[in-house]
Amino acid sequence: MSQENTNTNQSRVPNHELRQIRERYERELFQQIIPFWEQFSPDEEAGGYFTCLDRDGTVFDTDKFTWMQAREVWTFAELAYRYGDRFPEKKSRWIELARLGAEFLYHHARTEEGYYFSLDRWGKPLVVPYNLFSDYFVLAAFSSYYRMTGEEWAKREGIALFELIQRRKPCPKGRWTKQIPETRSLRAMSFPMMDLWMYQVLRNFLPTETLRSLAEEAKRQILNLHIDRKERVVFERVAPDGSHPDCMEGRLLNPGHALETLWFLLLYAREQGDRETMEQAAEAMLWTADRGWDPSHGGFFYYQDWKGYPPEKLESDMKLWWVHVEALCAFLLAYRYTGNQTFWEWFQRVDAYTFSHFPDPSYGEWYGYLHRDGSVASPLKGGKWKGFFHIPRALMVCIEILQAMEGKR
Amino acid sequence: MSQENTNTNQSRVPNHELRQIRERYERELFQQIIPFWEQFSPDEEAGGYFTCLDRDGTVFDTDKFTWMQAREVWTFAELAYRYGDRFPEKKSRWIELARLGAEFLYHHARTEEGYYFSLDRWGKPLVVPYNLFSDYFVLAAFSSYYRMTGEEWAKREGIALFELIQRRKPCPKGRWTKQIPETRSLRAMSFPMMDLWMYQVLRNFLPTETLRSLAEEAKRQILNLHIDRKERVVFERVAPDGSHPDCMEGRLLNPGHALETLWFLLLYAREQGDRETMEQAAEAMLWTADRGWDPSHGGFFYYQDWKGYPPEKLESDMKLWWVHVEALCAFLLAYRYTGNQTFWEWFQRVDAYTFSHFPDPSYGEWYGYLHRDGSVASPLKGGKWKGFFHIPRALMVCIEILQAMEGKR
């Protein structure tokens, strides 16, 4: 996986092909995705965003879910940062839209134990702060928002949240925990995944050494516990010794989550010059892809059981938008860094499935939830778990990688 | 809805047709359903039952979920009670099988706050007692078990559980509650539904007056809060004043739950000679059926949104076994008591859908989860939420109604 090798292999895909893809992704991002959220999502009256949006943008629920609010703040601030120079007429609007959500969260969602999981339209709390990922997303949002605005409260609150997350991580659900760890303790891959993302997004906000020590621990957990090289599987939850309890939770596979985690890991390892980890992350992507792809209808399954038993979740065989855009990032990044043609083939396969199934050219934005056979299961564009985040993040990442491959950076 | 009217209308369906249906239901119960659970479910070594059973009966998870354990105790004890005389060679086996689960629960699942939600195979606790329905099902199990065995501990513990449920009902999830009721308080139909079922199943166990006062309060809540006569809808969750907050939870419809609740209510009202409630329950069944039936593929949806917005749950358009067997009970009972031919037509429609989609003649038992188009989404016969309960209960109820209609009782 030498630099030479990388360059040699990359040259197999001609520049004009890379450019065509990049331009298609840019059109999708700037013409289909961003305008939809700019138009239908802002709640100028109460603050924050409407995120429950029907096919045509109609608001069907005004509750404010902290994950969705914070992710949207992050995305608008990130757009202003990455594309503010290219679209100077949009920059101040994007910053204002980020402010709309950031201030709503800061004024309504804070508690001493973390951020509420959800609020009503006007900011009254609906669900307690049991979910530590709310805090992770608010931290990412405030970091990005601070970079664009210099607001001191955002920095102060972000740092406090970072410390709260470290304190709460050993028992993330705190007094709302229902599992009894003495009988069975399982580690979720979500936490090392988030710590690797924090390494990406907090670097202008916190000392690199602090972030690197978290990322190293995350890398260790993913390589030693979640990636099973003998079985060639990435497990979603594992026992503290890396073993796999023979129960539904212990056998759970989540191809989208695995691919998302692996591209975070690949990116981190590349930055550290850690070739061994790069190779392991890339290889695990291929196991995940081979096992997770639906041979009958195409697309990646949402959940699988390691041994092929019936998965617990009823939606297991559905095809979800975020799984596929994370897969695009994973394969494109792996192709860029390894030059292995197999990743380019996977990228093309996922790209073809994604763009022929998820976008809704009639009303903009993408469907999120398809049946196994690819038919649309729900027309919503935004909901409790789908907001303005995975698609723009993935398109931004892919555009950046393609640009680099074209030699434009 | 006079007695005369009832009799006149019932005579429209000839006796031989009723008998054919009854005999088909009996074959299904005694040849396809019961043998599967007798063979694959008992855990003679650790006690209790395996309930996670793949298509052919293979155990794919050995955890013991209290809902499933208790429901299976109830079903075996009920079989012994109802059919012990007809199948004397099976009676003692059914009692032994009920004992296997009852003693497992009593020895391993009890806490001062209620019964654990789940245990591992050997009875070590996995999930805290946050779920009051565990206690309801254990209470029903111990009541039925006590009736067959006279075990004093079962009576003592059942009475203690009944009191615990009454104490905990105002805040059923106790310290594990995540909703903040000061902002939005919604009442779930599950509680009045369970109290009406308790009226049916605890009558040999607790004073009728105690049960009737609970059932009257349940009736009041269902008629005044959940059934909206103006909108002709049965709401799953309502504000304490019966209004419908315009959010996903407030607009949630659950046709299977509604039909199950309505047949409990119809049965109760019939016993009380309360014709007005009978009429309201029967009418609400028709609204629910008309709205809940899938016009494209047949079968009842799992969840719907009152206003037709995208439902929150990804499995909303799936077809579930329990929804359809509860619908069979509802329409058959309503036909018996009202003589209205529309109910007989609904019964026939649901019967045709159910028996052509759910049974698995190759391995016995029924599939539980179908895609919207009727194809099998999961091959499991038992899982975390599917056990030995809805099918045998519904078949027993339908057989009893059909017998009565044939004039055999």
Side-chain angles (χ1 to χ4, degrees), chain A residues 262-274:
Chain A
L262 291 168
W263 79 255
F264 291 175
L265 182 61
L266 179 57
L267 194 63
Y268 173 73
R270 166 77 182 194
E271 288 195 17
Q272 306 300 312
D274 175 358

Side-chain angles (χ1 to χ4, degrees), chain B residues 153-326:
Chain B
W153 65 259
K155 183 171 191 180
R156 202 169 54 239
E157 181 68 6
I159 288 168
L161 264 179
F162 179 81
E163 286 159 7
L164 177 137
I165 289 169
Q166 308 318 315
R167 272 200 313 278
R168 277 190 58 182
K169 222 194 295 177
C171 180
K173 289 195 181 172
R175 59 196 169 100
W176 297 285
T177 305
K178 291 179 189 162
Q179 306 292 328
I180 295 169
E182 290 78 8
T183 305
R184 182 185 298 151
S185 177
L186 289 172
R187 285 165 184 265
M189 193 162 60
S190 328
F191 290 98
M193 182 188 85
M194 286 303 275
D195 283 340
L196 286 173
W197 191 53
M198 291 299 109
Y199 182 85
Q200 284 180 42
V201 299
L202 300 182
R203 266 180 299 173
N204 297 303
F205 194 69
L206 289 172
T208 309
E209 271 319 304
T210 306
L211 296 171
R212 188 183 290 123
S213 78
L214 284 173
E216 282 295 317
E217 172 59 20
K219 180 181 91 174
R220 193 194 64 75
Q221 287 181 24
I222 294 163
L223 292 178
N224 297 347
L225 302 180
H226 295 279
I227 293 182
D228 186 323
R229 296 181 61 76
K230 185 163 150 276
E231 300 289 347
R232 302 168 67 87
V233 181
V234 183
F235 285 93
E236 182 71 11
R237 300 199 187 94
V238 290
D241 63 358
S243 65
H244 314 306
D246 193 13
C247 59
M248 287 184 277
E249 288 209 303
R251 294 191 307 263
L252 182 70
L253 310 182
N254 182 333
H257 232 185
L259 291 168
E260 186 178 3
T261 303
L262 292 168
W263 80 255
F264 292 175
L265 182 61
L266 178 58
L267 194 64
Y268 173 73
R270 166 74 183 194
E271 288 194 19
Q272 307 300 311
D274 175 357
R275 289 192 185 173
E276 196 183 323
T277 298
M278 288 176 73
E279 276 165 25
Q280 289 197 35
E283 195 188 343
M285 284 181 192
L286 295 182
W287 310 332
T288 302
D290 285 335
R291 184 190 289 263
W293 189 257
D294 179 354
S296 312
H297 301 278
F300 286 113
F301 291 116
Y302 186 12
Y303 295 113
Q304 295 180 291
D305 181 282
W306 170 39
K307 293 190 175 170
Y309 289 124
E312 181 199 330
K313 301 283 184 193
L314 299 188
E315 61 268 34
S316 296
D317 71 356
M318 291 177 75
K319 310 295 165 60
L320 271 67
W321 88 105
W322 71 263
V323 172
H324 294 79
V325 298
E326 296 304 330

Side-chain angles (χ1 to χ4, degrees), chain A residues 214-231:
Chain A
L214 284 174
E216 282 295 315
E217 173 57 22
K219 179 181 94 175
R220 195 194 64 74
Q221 288 182 23
I222 295 163
L223 292 178
N224 297 348
L225 302 179
H226 294 279
I227 292 183
D228 186 324
R229 296 182 61 78
K230 185 162 149 279
E231 301 289 346

Side-chain angles (χ1 to χ4, degrees), chain B residues 15-199:
Chain B
N15 246 10
H16 73 267
E17 192 180 329
L18 297 172
R19 191 177 65 247
Q20 276 179 356
I21 299 170
R22 176 176 56 77
E23 288 172 355
R24 176 159 53 84
Y25 281 31
E26 288 176 344
R27 281 196 305 277
E28 198 66 28
L29 177 59
F30 293 108
Q31 293 171 27
Q32 297 295 316
I33 305 296
I34 297 172
F36 189 91
W37 294 90
E38 287 174 333
Q39 182 176 357
F40 299 114
S41 184
D43 182 356
E44 305 282 1
E45 201 179 342
Y49 316 110
F50 301 117
T51 66
C52 292
L53 303 173
D54 207 348
R55 184 181 174 192
D56 62 359
T58 302
V59 176
F60 65 86
D61 193 311
T62 61
D63 288 350
K64 309 272 166 76
F65 303 96
T66 296
W67 281 35
M68 298 299 113
Q69 299 292 314
R71 286 167 159 201
E72 189 159 341
V73 172
W74 181 85
T75 303
F76 277 124
E78 204 67 16
L79 284 172
Y81 179 73
R82 295 199 191 200
Y83 292 102
D85 293 342
R86 180 164 159 196
F87 302 101
E89 76 286 4
K90 300 298 290 285
K91 185 174 179 178
S92 62
R93 176 66 180 149
W94 287 336
I95 293 172
E96 279 316 301
L97 287 173
R99 184 187 310 279
L100 192 66
E103 292 190 346
F104 182 85
L105 286 169
Y106 184 64
H107 292 308
H108 299 295
R110 295 160 71 209
T111 83
E112 300 223 329
E113 295 176 285
Y115 275 60
Y116 287 119
F117 180 77
S118 63
L119 310 161
D120 74 1
R121 183 183 171 190
W122 300 97
K124 280 189 284 184
L126 282 170
V127 172
V128 299
Y130 76 97
N131 188 300
L132 197 56
F133 298 109
S134 303
D135 305 288
Y136 270 109
F137 290 119
V138 175
L139 166 57
F142 286 175
S143 156
S144 211
Y145 180 69
Y146 171 73
R147 186 174 57 190
M148 290 313 295
T149 62
E151 291 273 20
E152 279 304 319
W153 65 259
K155 183 171 191 180
R156 202 169 54 239
E157 181 68 6
I159 288 168
L161 264 179
F162 179 81
E163 286 159 7
L164 177 137
I165 289 169
Q166 308 318 315
R167 272 200 313 278
R168 277 190 58 182
K169 222 194 295 177
C171 180
K173 289 195 181 172
R175 59 196 169 100
W176 297 285
T177 305
K178 291 179 189 162
Q179 306 292 328
I180 295 169
E182 290 78 8
T183 305
R184 182 185 298 151
S185 177
L186 289 172
R187 285 165 184 265
M189 193 162 60
S190 328
F191 290 98
M193 182 188 85
M194 286 303 275
D195 283 340
L196 286 173
W197 191 53
M198 291 299 109
Y199 182 85

Side-chain angles (χ1 to χ4, degrees), chain A residues 52-55 58-63 65 116 118 120-121 124-130 173 175-184 246-249 251 302 305 308-312 314-315 317-318 320 369 371-373 376-380 383-385, chain B residues 52-55 58-63 65 116 118 120-121 124-130 173 175-184 246-249 251 302 305 308-312 314-315 317-318 320 369 371-373 376-380 383-385:
Chain A
C52 292
L53 303 173
D54 208 348
R55 186 182 175 193
T58 301
V59 176
F60 64 86
D61 193 312
T62 60
D63 289 350
F65 303 98
Y116 286 120
S118 62
D120 75 1
R121 182 182 172 190
K124 280 191 284 183
L126 283 169
V127 172
V128 299
Y130 76 97
K173 289 195 183 173
R175 59 197 169 99
W176 298 285
T177 304
K178 292 178 186 162
Q179 307 291 328
I180 296 170
E182 291 77 9
T183 306
R184 184 186 297 151
D246 194 13
C247 60
M248 287 183 278
E249 288 211 303
R251 294 191 307 262
Y302 187 12
D305 180 284
Y309 289 123
E312 182 201 330
L314 299 187
E315 62 268 34
D317 72 358
M318 292 177 75
L320 272 66
Y369 305 98
H371 296 118
R372 178 174 179 182
D373 67 7
V376 175
S378 169
L380 68 75
K384 187 172 173 180
W385 302 104
Chain B
C52 292
L53 303 173
D54 207 348
R55 184 181 174 192
T58 302
V59 176
F60 65 86
D61 193 311
T62 61
D63 288 350
F65 303 96
Y116 287 119
S118 63
D120 74 1
R121 183 183 171 190
K124 280 189 284 184
L126 282 170
V127 172
V128 299
Y130 76 97
K173 289 195 181 172
R175 59 196 169 100
W176 297 285
T177 305
K178 291 179 189 162
Q179 306 292 328
I180 295 169
E182 290 78 8
T183 305
R184 182 185 298 151
D246 193 13
C247 59
M248 287 184 277
E249 288 209 303
R251 294 191 307 263
Y302 186 12
D305 181 282
Y309 289 124
E312 181 199 330
L314 299 188
E315 61 268 34
D317 71 356
M318 291 177 75
L320 271 67
Y369 305 98
H371 295 119
R372 177 174 180 182
D373 66 8
V376 175
S378 168
L380 68 75
K384 187 171 174 183
W385 302 105

Side-chain angles (χ1 to χ4, degrees), chain B residues 355-400:
Chain B
F355 279 79
S356 62
H357 283 83
F358 290 107
D360 174 16
S362 303
Y363 291 94
E365 247 282 338
W366 292 12
Y367 299 115
Y369 305 98
L370 313 178
H371 295 119
R372 177 174 180 182
D373 66 8
S375 59
V376 175
S378 168
L380 68 75
K381 299 296 172 51
K384 187 171 174 183
W385 302 105
K386 181 175 189 287
F388 186 42
F389 180 65
H390 279 285
I391 302 172
R393 185 178 78 174
L395 292 174
M396 286 192 282
V397 166
C398 288
I399 289 164
E400 193 177 303

